Structure formats: structure tokens, C-alpha cells
Amino acid sequence: MKFTKMQGIGNDYVYVNCFEETIADPSAVARFVSDRHFGIGSDGLILVKPSDVADCEMDMYNLDGSQGAMCGNGIRCVAKFAYDHGIVHKKNITVNTKSGIKYLDLDIKDGKVSSVKVNMGSPILTAKMIPVVSDKEQVINQPLDVNGTIWNITAVSMGNPHAVTYMEDVNSLDIEKVGPMFENHINFPDRINTEFVKVIDRRTLQMRVWERGSGETLACGTGACAVAVASTLNGLVDEDVPITVKLLGGDLQILWNRQENLVYMTGPATTVFEGEIDLSSI
């Protein structure tokens, strides 16, 4: 299998051109290639496929083999992959995902994509649609008992479910202990991605993320979008201006246009290396 290793501010995936390749068991391949000792090493596998409704399709799998609906950092790299490999030849493209068609604007430098602005669509705030078990229609700054500790959470879906909570110090958080408790909490029937956030100022946020199926990652684009939305709902940031979200792997610019009710994410996309791997041992 030929592949391209790519990353968006440290959120790395193995990309495969399924205009040319056929992957019989993508879940097994995802587990194999994601292993950082015996495989290529990544947060998962993303297949770039033909689409009848968009310029291409993004089919993603987490490192545990589970299928994901959407990845903000991953889709920026899909755009770069499609343009740099000649699948598309324009600066404004569409990508079909499990959470709908996304619209992307490409910034081209020296014939290659350097950064991508993604229309991430409208945030979903209705609890049962995220889904979150709650007696309220929306979960905004609501207490949640996580193994005996009360956390206040705001729930947002960006095509995948997120729980956002705020802390004074995210650096010292034992996320390896707390993250799985959130992910597998009974109130999240489809599991949850959890963002632990510190407010630096009204236009700057710092976050760490525990992603369902992958654990802590250096970055999460949908998570950064959810954090910007949640912070606006809680009155912690200025409205209708780009918010800088600082992640372990780098920064993303997030704008929630309230009039359009659309979230825009801008950030880099980088090719790490290309290669070929033997899948016969799977």
C-alpha cells in the first residue's frame, strides 16, 4: 500500500489515495499503521476516495480501528493531499464526510497547499442530537459527576460529540486518568471527545484534548471549533471575531459567525513523508 504521512499541527494521519488503491479492511489497516513501534505511527488512517457529490470523500478511522465522522485537522490535510496529488486543480473544493459536505479554501504557495480555511458547518447544541443524556435541551455550563468529581461541561457537536470544560491550569492535568472517564461516561452514549480549556484572554484559549478512540492528541480541529463555540456561549470570548486556540501542536484560528451560524477554521497542513508498506502480515 502506498501512503502519505501528513499532519495538521501535530494531529497526524496516514493518507491513502483510494482513487488508485483499494483497502479491504480499513479498521485493521488503521490499527496496524497507527502503531508507533510496529507500524508507521499516527492518530489513525484517512482514505481519500472518489465521490459522487463532492470533489472527493474523506473516510477516517481512529487508531483503535473505530470509524470517525469528522476531523478538522485531517480534512485540511485531505485538501492538501487532493491538490498536491492532482486530484483537484482548484483553490475552492468540496469534501464529503460522514458529517456532511465541507467547503474548503486553499492557500497555495509555490504550487503546494500551505494552509486551509474550512467551513465546518453549524454547531449542534441540542443534547439528544450530540448525543448527551440530559434533562435539559442544551448542556451549557452544567455539572457532571465524573467518578466522584464534579466538572461543569458545555456540550457541542461539530459532526462529532464534544464536552468542553474549563480549568485554571491545563498543563498539570492528569489527562491519561481523567480522559477515559469522560470518554466512557454513561451520559455519553456514543462516547465523547473532551476539551480541557484555560481562558488566556477574550481572544485566546489554551486547550488539551482527549479524543475518543485515540487518547490525547496534539491537536483536534473539531475540538477547537467546539471550544470556540462553547466559550462564546459561556460569555468567555468576544463574539464574531477570530479566536486563537492554542493546542499542544500549534495554533488554530476559529471564527463562529453567529449571523450565518457557521464555524470557520483556518490552519496549516503539512506532508511529512511518503512511502509504501506491506500489509500481508495483518
Side-chain angles (χ1 to χ4, degrees), residues 4-21:
T4 302
K5 171 77 175 284
M6 306 183 77
Q7 58 92 4
I9 61 171
N11 196 189
D12 61 337
Y13 287 87
V14 171
Y15 292 77
V16 178
N17 185 351
C18 287
F19 285 76
E20 300 176 352
E21 300 262 0

Side-chain angles (χ1 to χ4, degrees), residues 70-211:
M70 176 59 187
C71 173
N73 294 308
I75 199 170
R76 293 200 315 276
C77 290
V78 167
K80 178 176 174 61
F81 184 97
Y83 186 92
D84 291 359
H85 286 78
I87 294 171
V88 299
H89 304 277
K90 51 188 179 178
K91 295 182 179 180
N92 308 104
I93 72 169
T94 54
V95 177
N96 192 29
T97 75
K98 291 292 185 291
S99 63
I101 297 174
K102 305 301 179 185
Y103 301 86
L104 302 92
D105 301 325
L106 315 184
D107 182 26
I108 312 297
K109 292 183 179 178
D110 299 323
K112 302 286 186 181
V113 173
S114 61
S115 67
V116 180
K117 179 181 178 181
V118 187
N119 179 343
M120 298 289 286
S122 301
I124 297 169
L125 303 176
T126 305
K128 65 181 180 181
M129 294 178 64
I130 292 174
V132 178
V133 176
S134 176
D135 58 1
K136 299 182 180 299
E137 184 177 356
Q138 297 183 347
V139 178
I140 300 174
N141 196 33
Q142 294 297 308
L144 179 72
D145 187 329
V146 181
N147 202 33
T149 300
I150 302 299
W151 301 74
N152 278 36
I153 68 162
T154 297
V156 179
S157 173
M158 291 301 308
N160 53 2
H162 295 270
V164 179
T165 188
Y166 296 90
M167 308 176 63
E168 288 297 319
D169 178 17
V170 297
N171 294 322
S172 61
L173 172 68
D174 187 357
I175 198 169
E176 295 287 340
K177 177 181 178 182
V178 177
M181 296 179 187
F182 272 90
E183 178 180 355
N184 300 293
H185 195 282
I186 193 172
N187 281 29
F188 307 124
D190 289 343
R191 297 187 294 166
I192 201 80
N193 303 285
T194 309
E195 287 76 35
F196 302 90
V197 182
K198 176 182 179 179
V199 178
I200 297 175
D201 58 44
R202 293 194 62 83
R203 295 193 181 189
T204 313
L205 305 167
Q206 178 191 5
M207 70 172 254
R208 290 175 67 186
V209 58
W210 183 269
E211 294 196 55

Side-chain angles (χ1 to χ4, degrees), residues 8-11 43 73 207 209 211 216-220 247-250:
I9 61 171
N11 196 189
D43 292 324
N73 294 308
M207 70 172 254
V209 58
E211 294 196 55
E216 183 174 27
T217 59
L218 294 178
C220 176
L247 304 99
L248 293 179

